[in-house]
Amino acid sequence: MSHSRVAYLDALRATAIVGVIAAHTAQSIGDIQRGSGADIDAWLLSFFNQGGYGVQVFFFLSGFLLAMLYGFSDLDVRVGVTARSFWVKRIFRIWPLWGLFFLLTVIRPVLFPESPGGWEGFITTNIGFGAADEPILVALQLTFLVWLVPVVWGGVIAGGWSIQAEMLHYAFFALFRKRKLETILGAWIFLAIPTIVIDKLLSRVDLELGLLEGWRSQNFPSTALFFLAGCITY
């Protein structure tokens, strides 16, 4: 039973990976074609873009696996699992690769000066701290918190927003893991509804709401919903 369950999750993860790669590949090809004066067929781009839902599948699987490993809500409390041990395992699982990708981003302009990338724009962003701007931005990037600066919320790592969102989900999970299910869902609603309202507001008016825009960029209502669905499904 355990082996078949893991195999099933691996197959689902592989399907999500293929979908995301297909979506990004189609988008890149479309950009190249438009740059040369041509255009990718709309129906073909729409078809491959459906692979983008693999991101939601990843969030679902993340919630499912965390609930399986650590228990979820007062219906399944696991003794002996401390917040410290939870965070140590999560950080050591994610940060090494995150740090490696950041290092590659830093040295890429040196090795390949003609390659596209946002590193130069990232380190020259003015956030109001003068000479400390660059080290602060780097520190925020390395601690998954660069979304606190809305103008560069995605940082310089491709797809980095989703990893930052995942860390927010971990924080949510750590805080509410042992609570009643009604409390957990209530906390999500308390966070999600204001975010949805802000999102609709900013789509209609020309306002800058600072930190709230960074929070909005993490798409918490949508991503956390799939994360919680994975927890509850387990």
Side-chain angles (χ1 to χ4, degrees), residues 23 25 29 97 101 109 141 148 180 185 232:
T25 301
I29 293 175
L97 195 58
F101 272 95
Q141 176 74 67
L148 292 171
K180 293 182 178 180
L185 294 176
I232 295 169

Side-chain angles (χ1 to χ4, degrees), residues 145-157:
L145 293 172
V146 78
W147 61 269
L148 292 171
V149 184
V151 69
V152 289
W153 63 267
V156 293
I157 299 177

Side-chain angles (χ1 to χ4, degrees), residues 70 78-88 177-178:
Y70 298 104
R78 312 281 177 85
V79 296
V81 179
T82 65
R84 179 180 178 181
S85 66
F86 170 81
W87 279 111
V88 167
R177 178 176 67 89
K178 296 182 180 181

